[in-house]
Amino acid sequence: MTSASDAPFGQLTEEAELFDVPTGGMEEILPPFEAGLAMAAGRALAVLAYRDAVAFGDKPFTRDAPAAAGTVLALLPETCDRLDRGFRAAVARALWDLADDLAAGRAPLPRCAAEQWALGCMLEAAPAMFAATDEELQALGVAVPEHPDESGYRPPYWEEAWQLTVEGAKYSIPEAQPAVGSQEDEDAEDGDGPEEPAGGWDAVRYWFSPYSFIRPRNVERGHPDWAQRHLDGGTLAAPEPLTSERAAVLLHLDSVPRTGSGALDGDEQDTAEGERGYFGDDRDAVLTPLAARLLAAAADQVADAGWHDLFHYGDRVFERPEDEDDELWLDDDFLGTLPPLCDGQGAAWRLAMVGAVENLADDLRAGRSPNAGCTAEELALHLIVGQAKMLVDLLDDEDYAQELGLPTRDRISIRHRAFDLVLDYYLQDFDVLMHYDSDLSEVVTDPEHPANLQLGIGDLRPRAWFAPFGNTRPRQPRTLEPWLLAQLADADPAAFFASAPALTGGQETPAGDIPAGELPGGLRQEFETFVGLAQRRFFDEPTAIHMSVTLERLLTLFFSTPSLAPHSIWPLNPRASAVHAGLLLVDRDFCLRGLNSTWRLSADRTDRQARGWACELLLDCANYALANYHRQPGAYLRGTTPPASLDPGLAGTLEERLTILARDMTTAGTLHHRMTHLGLSPLQLAQAAILPEPMITAWLAGAPASPSQLIRCAPALQMSEDTLLDTVAGKRDRHHWPLPEPAPDRLGRPAPEPPSCDQ
C-alpha cells in the first residue's frame, strides 16, 4: 500500500487548501515520458550549476564577460550576481531535489522560491532533453516510449505542468506571517500580514524560506556525493551519461551567452522570430537528431532521383504510364511522384524543385527546423517523409544501415520516426496534396474559384510554387555545385531544347536592339525615382516635395551642360516647408511650365503610364528650356550678360537620351531589385534558369524579354511566373520592387490619414 507521503502529492500540508495546488494523479499533469524528460533536464542543470558554483566561488558574476557564456548563473535573476558560493550550491541542490522528486514518482512541487525558479528552468529545458539518445535517457531512468507505430504516440507536451508553480506561494513563507502573539496576529484577518518588502516576498533573500503548504525538506540532507566531492576540491565526476560537456550541449548552453529574466511565475520567455530561446526552440520536442539524420538521408535519395530525371527529361514533357495504377513504376521516378499537373514544367522549374528538396536537407543537417517556406518545399517535405518511411523499413539490413551511417531498424524507437508529426509541425497546411485528387483539381488550379477563395487556398499552380509564403523570408539562393554545372553543360540539347544556347556555350541575346548611347551618371537613377514617386497611391505634400526636388535633379542631369541650369530657366518658389527642402522649381500648386503645356505633379499611375508621362514632361520642358535659354528670368535685373551659346548638337543629344530613358524598364527594374534583394548575380540567375548569361545581362539593360524564357527565372527569383510576366506588360509589382519613399515631414506634423472608401 502507498502511504500518503509516497503519493504524488502526499507532501502537501493542511494549508494546501488555501492555495490553488494541483492534486490527484500525476499523469494528467506530467505523463511518464514528459516527467522523465523534466527530471533529466533537472539533473543536467544541476550538474552545470554545481560546476558554476565551484568555478565562480564567491566572485561576483559578470554577465557580459566571456566566462558567462553557457552558465546556469546567467539564467538567475541579476540580483543573484553578487551572492556567494553557498547560495549557488544551494540553487544547484534545488534543481537536484526536484529531479529526485520526479525520479521517485512524486510531484515536483516547489517548496521555496529557489525551487519555484528551478522548476521553471526545468520545464523550459525539458524539450531540449528530447535530443538525447535513447540510451542516454534510459540510463537516466527515463521511460522511452515503445509504441509500435505513430498512431499511439504524441510529442511531449508540458503546458499542464506549469500549474505546479503555485500562484501566491510566496505569501506562505514565515516572514510573510504575523508574529505569533502580537496584536497584529490577534487582529489579523485572512490574508493580512506584514507589509510586503521592496522586491516582494520572492526577493532573493527569501529564496530558501519554506512554503507552509508543503512539508520542508530535510535540512541535513547535504549535497549528492559526486557534487560534494567537487565542492571539496575534487574534479567534477557527474553520474553518467551527464558529463558537464554533454549536459551543456543538450541544453544548448555550451556556446551562447544567456540572460535570465528572474521570472518565477513559469511564463514562457519571448524570443524574436528566428532566434532560439534559453534551451533551444520547439523543434527539439518534435525532431530528434536521429530523426533529422533519417530525413536527411531520405532527402538525398529523393534528390538523387530528381537529378536523374532532370538530366533525362530536361525540358521535355514527362509521360506517365498508361496504367495509372502502376505505382511501383512511378515511385522510381522523381517526376512521377509529383502531381500530374507538373508534367509539362521546364528544366529550370525541375532544377528548382530538386533544389527545394536539398534546401530542407541542408536545414536538417545544420540543425535548423525544416520549415517549408513555399509550396514547392511543402511538397518536398511530403516526398522526403514518404521516402523516410520506406527507408526505415529497409534498415533491417545491417550492411545497408551501415552504408547510410544509420542504426538498424530495431534501434530506432518511435520518437525518432514520428514522421507524420513532422509534417503536422513544419507544414502550414496540406493543401498541396489536393493536386493528387482529381475531384479537387479545378479548385486548386484556379485562384479565383469560389471554393478556393472561401477556403483561402491561394495560388497552388506550379507556376507559383516558389514564391515564399507571406510569413516566411526568401531563401538564400543556392550555388550550383561544379558537378551539376558540368552535367548541365554536357546534357543533351535535344532534351534541353529551351536551354540549348546555354548548354552549348552559345552567346544568344534577346531579340530587339538596345538603344545606343550613354546616359550621364545618375540620370537613370533620378528618372526611376521620379517614375516611382508618380506611382504612389496618395499625392500628399511630402510626396509632392520629393517629386519636385527629384525633378530639378532630373532636369539638371538630363541637360548635363554647365551653361543650362534649370533654376536659371524656371523661377524658384519657397514651397518645401514640410521637409525643409529649400526652394523648388514648381509653383505653389506644384506645377511646372513647359513649352506647350503646364505640368502639374501628381501620382497614382501604373509603371508604364508613369514612364510615358515622365518622358512627355521631359520633352516639353527640354523644348521650353531651349526656347527660353536667352530669356532667363532676372538676367536683366541682375545686370548679367546674356549666356553663352549652347552647343548646337544639344537638341540631338537630348533626343538620344530621351530615347534611352523612354524604353520600358519595368522588367529590368524588377529583375534588378529582386536580384539585389536575394544577392543573385547575373551569372547565378543564368545558371539557375539554364539560360545564357548575356541574355540576363541584356534584360537588365532594358532589352525586351521573351515571356517563355523569362518565366524560367521565376523559381530562382522566388516569384510567381504571373508576377514576372506582368512586368512584360508594364505592370510593377510593388512587393517585389517597392516604390521610393518620400522624405519624412521634418516639421513633425501628423501624417494625413488616407481618404476612406466611403468619402
Side-chain angles (χ1 to χ4, degrees), residues 117-417:
W117 170 87
L119 180 61
C121 279
M122 289 168 59
L123 294 180
E124 288 180 0
M129 299 304 296
F130 191 70
T133 66
D134 290 348
E135 292 76 13
E136 287 174 325
L137 294 179
Q138 289 165 348
L140 290 169
V142 180
V144 176
E146 298 180 354
H147 299 285
D149 54 51
E150 290 190 58
S151 61
Y153 176 79
R154 66 171 178 78
Y157 182 71
W158 285 272
E159 190 64 30
E160 296 297 329
W162 286 102
Q163 62 184 293
L164 294 168
T165 58
V166 180
E167 185 177 358
K170 61 184 180 180
Y171 296 107
S172 72
I173 65 174
E175 292 86 347
Q177 310 308 313
V180 177
S182 66
Q183 183 64 38
E184 182 182 4
D185 179 38
E186 295 176 2
D187 298 338
E189 299 179 358
D190 290 343
D192 291 339
E195 183 179 352
E196 189 166 353
W201 292 116
D202 53 359
V204 172
R205 63 179 178 275
Y206 302 116
W207 260 34
F208 292 97
S209 295
Y211 296 152
S212 64
F213 58 85
I214 187 168
R215 293 185 181 88
R217 300 191 188 276
N218 181 2
V219 295
E220 298 180 355
R221 67 193 182 283
H223 298 284
D225 292 341
W226 62 268
Q228 188 60 58
R229 288 193 295 272
H230 187 47
L231 292 170
D232 291 341
T235 59
L236 179 58
E240 291 293 341
L242 277 180
T243 64
S244 59
E245 293 78 12
R246 180 57 175 161
V249 169
L250 286 172
L251 297 176
H252 305 290
L253 293 177
D254 53 325
S255 60
V256 182
R258 312 286 173 170
T259 301
S261 68
L264 300 175
D265 57 4
D267 287 344
E268 296 183 2
Q269 304 300 321
D270 294 330
T271 57
E273 183 182 358
E275 295 181 357
R276 300 176 70 86
Y278 289 161
F279 307 104
D281 53 26
D282 289 342
R283 167 189 187 276
D284 297 313
V286 178
L287 194 63
T288 67
L290 176 54
R293 288 165 53 201
L294 282 166
L295 289 169
D300 288 341
Q301 295 177 342
V302 174
D304 286 344
W307 295 130
H308 173 273
D309 284 3
L310 170 66
F311 298 127
H312 180 73
Y313 289 98
D315 288 299
R316 293 182 300 198
V317 174
F318 174 71
E319 296 183 2
R320 293 176 179 266
E322 295 181 2
D323 183 2
E324 295 182 359
D325 294 330
D326 191 357
E327 295 182 1
L328 181 61
W329 183 88
L330 292 175
D331 286 342
D332 292 336
D333 287 84
F334 176 78
L335 297 181
T337 60
L338 301 180
L341 190 68
C342 304
D343 291 351
Q345 295 298 320
W349 188 96
R350 291 165 176 169
L351 175 64
M353 190 65 218
V354 184
V357 176
E358 296 213 318
N359 282 340
L360 297 176
D362 289 345
D363 289 341
L364 292 162
R365 288 196 175 88
R368 298 187 297 266
S369 299
N371 291 309
C374 62
T375 303
E377 290 185 0
E378 283 194 326
L379 185 57
L381 191 57
H382 280 290
L383 299 181
I384 292 170
V385 165
Q387 183 66 26
K389 291 179 178 180
M390 292 190 291
L391 176 60
V392 169
D393 291 335
L394 297 174
L395 292 178
D396 287 331
D397 185 333
E398 187 172 351
D399 292 337
Y400 182 62
Q402 187 174 6
E403 179 184 339
L404 296 177
L406 296 170
T408 53
R409 188 177 187 277
D410 59 308
R411 295 177 55 201
I412 303 175
S413 67
I414 185 60
R415 72 191 189 97
H416 305 295
R417 48 187 170 86

Side-chain angles (χ1 to χ4, degrees), residues 379-717:
L379 185 57
L381 191 57
H382 280 290
L383 299 181
I384 292 170
V385 165
Q387 183 66 26
K389 291 179 178 180
M390 292 190 291
L391 176 60
V392 169
D393 291 335
L394 297 174
L395 292 178
D396 287 331
D397 185 333
E398 187 172 351
D399 292 337
Y400 182 62
Q402 187 174 6
E403 179 184 339
L404 296 177
L406 296 170
T408 53
R409 188 177 187 277
D410 59 308
R411 295 177 55 201
I412 303 175
S413 67
I414 185 60
R415 72 191 189 97
H416 305 295
R417 48 187 170 86
F419 298 126
D420 287 341
L421 293 176
V422 171
L423 294 175
D424 289 337
Y425 198 82
Y426 299 115
L427 297 181
Q428 302 197 22
D429 54 53
F430 284 32
D431 291 348
V432 70
L433 297 183
M434 294 182 184
H435 279 300
Y436 294 97
D437 189 336
S438 58
D439 294 333
L440 296 174
S441 60
E442 184 180 352
V443 175
V444 293
T445 56
D446 181 7
E448 301 302 322
H449 192 284
N452 187 309
L453 297 173
Q454 179 68 26
L455 296 173
I457 295 173
D459 192 353
L460 282 187
R461 295 173 297 173
R463 62 195 303 117
W465 275 16
F466 298 95
F469 298 136
N471 58 351
T472 62
R473 299 185 181 95
R475 283 273 187 181
Q476 288 296 314
R478 298 189 63 81
T479 299
L480 301 189
E481 298 180 15
W483 72 265
L484 177 55
L485 294 173
Q487 289 261 27
L488 289 172
D490 294 336
D492 180 7
F496 288 76
F497 52 88
S499 316
L503 295 170
T504 59
Q507 298 297 304
E508 179 178 317
T509 56
D513 295 331
I514 302 176
E518 295 183 359
L519 295 176
L523 175 57
R524 168 64 69 185
Q525 180 180 355
E526 292 297 340
F527 182 78
E528 291 297 333
T529 299
F530 188 71
V531 167
L533 291 167
Q535 296 173 63
R536 291 181 60 83
R537 183 177 180 185
F538 300 108
F539 187 71
D540 53 11
E541 188 177 23
T543 300
I545 293 173
H546 198 160
M547 287 186 73
S548 303
V549 173
T550 302
L551 178 58
E552 180 175 4
R553 292 196 296 261
L554 175 59
L555 288 168
T556 301
L557 291 168
F558 184 60
F559 297 139
S560 189
T561 175
S563 59
L564 201 164
H567 63 263
S568 66
I569 303 296
W570 288 275
L572 298 175
N573 290 285
R575 186 67 176 83
S577 60
V579 293
H580 293 179
L583 303 178
L584 304 178
L585 292 180
V586 296
D587 63 21
R588 298 192 64 83
D589 294 322
F590 295 104
C591 294
L592 182 67
R593 180 184 175 186
L595 183 64
N596 300 312
S597 304
T598 297
W599 299 87
R600 186 180 188 280
L601 303 187
S602 58
D604 202 19
R605 295 176 173 85
T606 66
D607 194 66
R608 180 161 291 177
Q609 290 172 343
R611 291 178 186 281
W613 172 78
C615 286
E616 292 173 4
L617 183 153
L618 275 179
L619 176 61
D620 196 33
C621 289
N623 289 332
Y624 178 86
L626 294 176
N628 290 275
Y629 177 69
H630 292 287
R631 297 195 299 271
Q632 297 179 17
Y636 297 110
L637 294 178
R638 292 193 299 269
T640 58
T641 59
S645 299
L646 289 173
D647 181 357
L650 181 58
T653 300
L654 294 179
E655 182 178 355
E656 181 180 292
R657 291 172 183 170
L658 192 61
T659 301
I660 299 174
L661 289 174
R663 70 176 183 261
D664 192 343
M665 293 290 287
T666 311
T667 299
T670 301
L671 288 174
H672 184 271
H673 190 277
R674 189 62 175 170
M675 290 169 63
T676 302
H677 179 65
L678 295 175
L680 266 175
S681 69
L683 175 60
Q684 288 176 306
L685 180 58
Q687 291 173 342
I690 319 181
L691 290 172
E693 183 183 2
M695 182 176 291
I696 304 298
T697 304
W699 289 346
L700 291 171
S706 165
S708 63
Q709 293 171 326
L710 183 63
I711 61 174
R712 298 174 69 88
C713 300
L717 295 172

